[in-house]
Amino acid sequence: MRDFPLGGIKTVNIRYRVTDGFYEGFVEKPVLVSRSTNPDNITVFNSRCTHLGCTVNWDEKKQLFICPCHMGTFYPDGRVKSGPPPRPLDRYATKVQDGDLFIEEA
């Protein structure tokens, strides 16, 4: 948890194993980790825009998630602020165990 500063948002690449029939491989993708000023409150967002799936980025200066493709914007809690996204950013279920953050892939 020390990698995620209080009151900050950080993009992190996660990597996990997938099995499809006989094929085994790894998937790597970015997620957006938000930690409020409450040390126990952490939220992990899917980095895909809910409009067309482009990757959103955190803009520290504007305090918004921004999709560069069609300029959709999201508030820090994932709600849509403007643009074409039809719904908030998707969230992952999380668990903190022994100081490590675990993310449940849907």
Side-chain angles (χ1 to χ4, degrees):
M1 294 294 291
R2 63 182 173 273
D3 293 335
F4 307 111
L6 292 175
I9 296 177
K10 183 176 181 180
T11 301
V12 178
N13 285 320
I14 59 170
R15 186 173 192 243
Y16 56 94
R17 182 185 307 271
V18 292
T19 303
D20 184 9
F22 293 107
Y23 173 77
E24 280 194 29
F26 288 93
V27 172
E28 186 169 330
K29 64 182 182 179
V31 296
L32 305 158
V33 180
S34 173
R35 190 169 183 202
S36 74
T37 53
N38 174 346
D40 298 326
N41 190 3
I42 194 157
T43 304
V44 179
F45 297 101
N46 186 326
S47 66
R48 297 285 177 200
C49 180
T50 56
H51 175 230
L52 292 177
C54 301
T55 302
V56 300
N57 299 298
W58 174 247
D59 186 313
E60 186 69 34
K61 209 175 195 181
K62 295 180 181 176
Q63 292 290 296
L64 294 170
F65 294 110
I66 298 177
C67 179
C69 299
H70 299 104
M71 297 312 295
T73 59
F74 301 86
Y75 291 109
D77 65 1
R79 290 178 298 125
V80 176
K81 178 180 189 270
S82 67
R87 65 180 198 284
L89 291 172
D90 294 325
R91 295 175 181 218
Y92 292 112
T94 61
K95 176 173 83 170
V96 176
Q97 184 176 336
D98 298 326
D100 293 322
L101 175 63
F102 292 89
I103 301 166
E104 183 178 326
E105 174 72 294

